[in-house]
Amino acid sequence: MCGIVGYIGRRDVAPLLLEGLQRLEYRGYDSAGIVITGKAAAGKPGALKMVKAKGRVRELEAKVPKRFAGTTGIAHTRWATHGAPSDENAHPHLDAENKVAVVHNGIIDNASELRARLTADGTVFLSETDTEVLVHLIARAQADTLEEKVREALRHVEGTYGIAVLHADFNDRIVVARNGSPVVLGIGEKEMFVASDVAALVAHTRQVVTLDDGEMATLKADDFRTYTTEGSTTTATPTTVEWEAESYDMGGHDTYMHKEISEQADAVDRVLRGRIDDRFSTVHLGGLNLDAREARGVRRIKILGCGTSYHAGQIGAQLIEELARIPADAEPASEFRYRNPVVDPDTLYIAVSQSGETYDVLAAVQELKRKGARVLGVVNVVGSAIAREADGGTYVHAGPEVCVVSTKCFTNTVVAFALFALHLGRIRDLSVADGKRIIDGLRRLPEQISEILANEDEIKRLAAEYADAKSMMFIGRVRGYPVAREASLKLKEVSYIHAEAYPASELKHGPLALIEPAMPTVAIVPDDDLLEKNRAAMEEIKARSGRILAVAHQVQEKADHTIVVPKNENELDPILMGIPLQLFAYHTALAMGRDIDKPRNLAKSVTVE
Ligand code: M6R
């Protein structure tokens, strides 16, 4: 949530920062700003030059003057927390003398208290943001070096931050610090970058250093050093980013959402690659850090995630129960951490997250670890906070997901859960024959996904048919229910059509009252042991003149329309049944002229509570 990018080197900094902001815009897009260090005149430090704009990065770009030269700068794209989107509240923020500039991701919890104290001492605030207190604290710090000034200011601050700081009197450096909000350094040739996300760096360098919480860094054009907020030096070992810059581009598609939906056959192929062991009809997941004896000792599994990742976790829990016969359930991490959960030593906890940054998930992991639990991560972004905090886990290898609305990562996360469930099952009581059956099913997935995607024109036609709905119901039973929930979330996020998901079995307990021709239902109807039950639910809807779009393995007579998807093994069907509904949501939103990659009020990584 919010994006930071900074540069120090020899190149003209403004175009570099604006390009970096474009790449980070998916993290927040209500206002943006840039500050650079101007050229120093004889004997005088260069003053800071700043431009800010409410709206998208393109609005900022239009405001940047032609003469805006400099080789050091920091920039920010915002998702509002404290104060409405406006020029004043956009970052960077400056002190009264225009000497200190700060960009900040995260939330300063004691901002009101600090603001009151600073105001009483005569400081005039120009914005409503929590960040501005940090600027004034740095400006007032008595220390001699910028590093010490920042450290002194941070001592007063409670909360989360990823910050980058410029100071006109120390214009040979950028000082950055991290606590709970990602900060990545990009190491170039006689130039250094900093960003909240590698997406802003990979076009220039793939050599990166990810700061830990409690770590700071000083970037100069020729070198960098890292140290703790207490001042002791730390060792920073650069790693190479797995993905090329092109992976972050739209690659010929009109939106990232369409690109990411279209990539799913390859993405699933990637999560399977090198993991299947035909000899023992099982899979190997390298980073689990859970040996066979420990796996046999697990009595329960609790999966924690938010939004789409929570839905993927719900399917994961079912896969674990079906294949490994271990009681498992999923819960929103955001709720779990606030209910003083009973942490049981025989329960294995799994944190699920695309970004690996979601604050509610990270905080749940930290709370669990504090209570001595073992926590695995199922994460997409390599080296992210949750991946690093977990005791082990697996990456889902979906590749960079830029659209705010998650699609390919959902699919890959569910496949990763299928692998994990198979692994646990084969350590316990799943037979060789069943192991082989699931492996064969997994191998069929990429081709079946391509088959579903080839049906896009028909799905687009159906989307146009239902785009007039003010509200939609999504139903499914057992395996189909989390698919219905995820499909309903997709539709509302991207099209803003109200959508509800219910277990089909619950219809008659209340929601049936909503059914009428203007409230269409999407029914998930797999060819499994619940087929007749699902047909009965459709019957109930038809009897109330409801329109039905079914996603099924064969044409459903009770439905007005059916999207037919290829059949896999019963346990793996949920992986495929959601994919046409991603396209359905996409085409509905497109027909309605929505801003598909950046839905209103949302941002990709929710790094605040
Ligand atoms: O990065 P995470 O998977 O932890 O994110 C969790 C949710 O914020 C995320 O899935 C959100 O619901 C998406 N907008 C779904 O499309």
Side-chain angles (χ1 to χ4, degrees):
M1 205 154 264
C2 303
I4 288 176
V5 60
Y7 172 84
I8 182 161
R10 286 160 180 74
R11 288 197 269 169
D12 191 14
V13 70
L16 279 175
L17 295 185
L18 289 167
E19 179 225 297
L21 287 183
Q22 298 280 7
R23 290 190 179 272
L24 292 180
E25 208 175 21
Y26 71 104
R27 299 179 69 95
Y29 34 86
D30 58 44
S31 52
I34 176 172
V35 64
I36 66 170
T37 315
K39 282 219 167 64
K44 285 195 175 165
L48 298 182
K49 297 190 282 187
M50 181 171 78
V51 184
K52 307 204 280 188
K54 180 181 169 189
R56 299 286 164 92
V57 174
R58 59 176 177 265
E59 259 92 37
L60 173 70
E61 202 164 0
K63 275 176 90 175
V64 171
K66 284 222 162 50
R67 285 171 182 270
F68 200 66
T71 56
T72 304
I74 54 178
H76 189 267
T77 173
R78 178 169 185 250
W79 186 87
T81 55
H82 290 62
S86 67
D87 286 6
E88 295 72 35
N89 290 334
H91 298 212
H93 294 284
L94 295 181
D95 70 316
E97 287 184 51
N98 286 1
K99 280 195 163 183
V100 182
V102 175
V103 290
H104 165 227
N105 288 354
I107 289 193
I108 296 174
D109 294 334
N110 59 340
S112 322
E113 192 190 312
L114 292 171
R115 179 182 274 259
R117 218 186 296 158
L118 287 162
T119 307
D121 280 356
T123 302
V124 177
F125 279 80
L126 299 177
S127 77
E128 300 159 273
T129 64
D130 52 340
T131 305
E132 200 183 334
V133 297
L134 205 43
V135 180
H136 298 303
L137 287 170
I138 296 171
R140 291 160 57 113
Q142 294 301 308
D144 293 334
T145 66
L146 179 55
E147 290 77 357
E148 272 299 331
K149 286 178 188 289
V150 174
R151 200 174 285 142
E152 201 178 310
L154 290 177
R155 268 186 220 122
H156 297 278
V157 161
E158 288 161 21
T160 57
Y161 50 80
I163 55 166
V165 184
L166 278 190
H167 197 304
D169 294 346
F170 304 89
N171 61 4
D172 64 339
R173 67 197 61 202
I174 300 174
V175 171
V176 301
R178 169 189 170 137
N179 183 42
S181 225
V183 175
V184 189
L185 316 182
I187 317 302
E189 277 290 313
K190 298 196 186 309
E191 59 183 4
M192 297 290 161
F193 298 81
V194 60
S196 48
D197 186 324
V198 292
L201 307 176
V202 285
H204 306 288
T205 176
R206 287 170 64 201
Q207 289 298 104
V208 300
V209 169
T210 305
L211 293 194
D212 278 321
D213 280 347
E215 218 174 2
M216 293 176 62
T218 299
L219 305 182
K220 294 185 173 183
D222 294 327
D223 65 10
F224 72 96
R225 63 188 185 87
T226 58
Y227 41 90
T228 65
T229 36
E230 303 309 317
S232 6
T233 300
T234 53
T235 318
T237 318
T239 55
T240 306
V241 180
E242 190 184 349
W243 301 95
E244 310 262 348
E246 295 73 52
S247 311
Y248 295 85
D249 294 338
M250 260 191 237
H253 295 260
D254 289 336
T255 60
Y256 279 105
M257 184 176 182
H258 193 265
K259 178 196 178 211
E260 287 157 9
I261 291 173
S262 310
E263 283 174 342
Q264 291 180 97
D266 287 345
V268 167
D269 190 53
R270 211 163 35 237
V271 67
L272 297 177
R273 206 175 300 155
R275 285 170 157 177
I276 292 175
D277 174 355
D278 286 304
R279 187 164 161 235
F280 291 106
S281 295
T282 187
V283 291
H284 293 299
L285 295 169
L288 286 183
N289 297 336
L290 183 78
D291 66 27
R293 190 178 289 269
E294 290 167 329
R296 289 196 68 88
V298 172
R299 295 268 167 272
R300 277 198 78 81
I301 293 183
K302 166 71 87 182
I303 300 169
L304 301 166
C306 295
T308 289
S309 290
Y310 161 53
H311 296 153
Q314 287 189 305
I315 303 180
Q318 291 185 0
L319 282 160
I320 290 166
E321 290 208 340
E322 288 190 291
L323 301 181
R325 304 303 298 155
I326 301 173
D329 72 325
E331 184 177 338
S334 43
E335 288 292 290
F336 174 83
R337 54 184 284 251
Y338 280 108
R339 63 171 179 79
N340 192 18
V342 177
V343 174
D344 165 23
D346 295 332
T347 297
L348 176 66
Y349 294 85
I350 303 182
V352 194
S353 177
Q354 185 288 128
S355 59
E357 286 175 31
T358 302
Y359 184 76
D360 282 319
V361 184
L362 182 61
V365 172
Q366 287 166 342
E367 174 70 356
L368 281 166
K369 289 192 66 184
R370 193 185 63 77
K371 290 184 168 177
R374 183 191 284 246
V375 189
L376 301 186
V378 176
V379 173
N380 189 38
V381 176
V382 175
S384 55
I386 294 167
R388 294 200 296 176
E389 193 81 37
D391 298 304
T394 185
Y395 285 117
V396 308
H397 296 298
E401 193 179 65
V402 177
C403 178
V404 166
V405 174
S406 183
T407 52
K408 65 173 178 173
C409 196
F410 171 78
T411 304
N412 266 41
T413 303
V414 179
V415 176
F417 269 116
L419 294 174
F420 180 61
L422 174 58
H423 167 78
L424 286 181
R426 288 290 297 122
I427 288 172
R428 297 162 75 109
D429 299 325
L430 191 75
S431 69
V432 171
D434 272 335
K436 184 172 177 326
R437 179 176 66 78
I438 297 297
I439 287 173
D440 290 347
L442 288 168
R443 284 200 169 113
R444 287 200 297 278
L445 287 173
E447 211 181 309
Q448 292 181 315
I449 291 172
S450 301
E451 213 178 299
I452 293 169
L453 297 177
N455 198 19
E456 181 171 353
D457 286 347
E458 171 64 5
I459 297 168
K460 181 176 175 181
R461 198 186 60 72
L462 289 169
E465 186 109 11
Y466 289 86
D468 62 337
K470 293 277 168 291
S471 189
M472 283 187 94
M473 180 76 81
F474 287 74
I475 57 167
R477 291 200 70 160
V478 188
R479 296 187 192 106
Y481 176 51
V483 176
R485 294 192 68 171
E486 173 56 13
S488 115
L489 176 65
K490 269 328 52 126
L491 185 73
K492 62 185 144 216
E493 276 187 300
V494 76
S495 74
Y496 318 151
I497 292 178
H498 171 253
E500 294 220 34
Y502 263 93
S505 53
E506 283 286 300
L507 273 183
K508 54 186 169 298
H509 298 295
L512 208 49
L514 296 172
I515 299 298
E516 46 136 352
M519 171 89 163
T521 299
V522 174
I524 314 297
V525 190
D527 249 5
D528 62 11
D529 41 330
L530 292 171
L531 179 60
E532 289 314 318
K533 302 269 181 220
N534 278 317
R535 283 186 170 148
M538 287 195 285
E539 194 106 39
E540 286 168 4
I541 293 166
K542 271 319 306 167
R544 274 88 187 168
S545 311
R547 279 192 291 165
I548 302 176
L549 168 63
V551 177
H553 294 120
Q554 48 181 304
V555 172
Q556 295 301 312
E557 273 176 21
K558 289 289 160 209
D560 298 270
H561 304 96
T562 308
I563 300 173
V564 177
V565 295
K567 177 87 185 91
N568 199 299
E569 299 305 317
N570 287 348
E571 298 90 331
L572 303 180
D573 281 334
I575 299 170
L576 295 170
M577 299 194 89
I579 292 175
L581 294 172
Q582 297 172 346
L583 280 174
F584 180 80
Y586 172 79
H587 282 292
T588 306
L590 195 66
M592 297 173 84
R594 301 303 191 211
D595 191 348
I596 288 183
D597 285 335
K598 300 183 183 76
R600 69 179 177 207
N601 306 337
L602 301 180
K604 185 70 176 162
S605 307
V606 187
T607 54
V608 294
E609 276 203 69

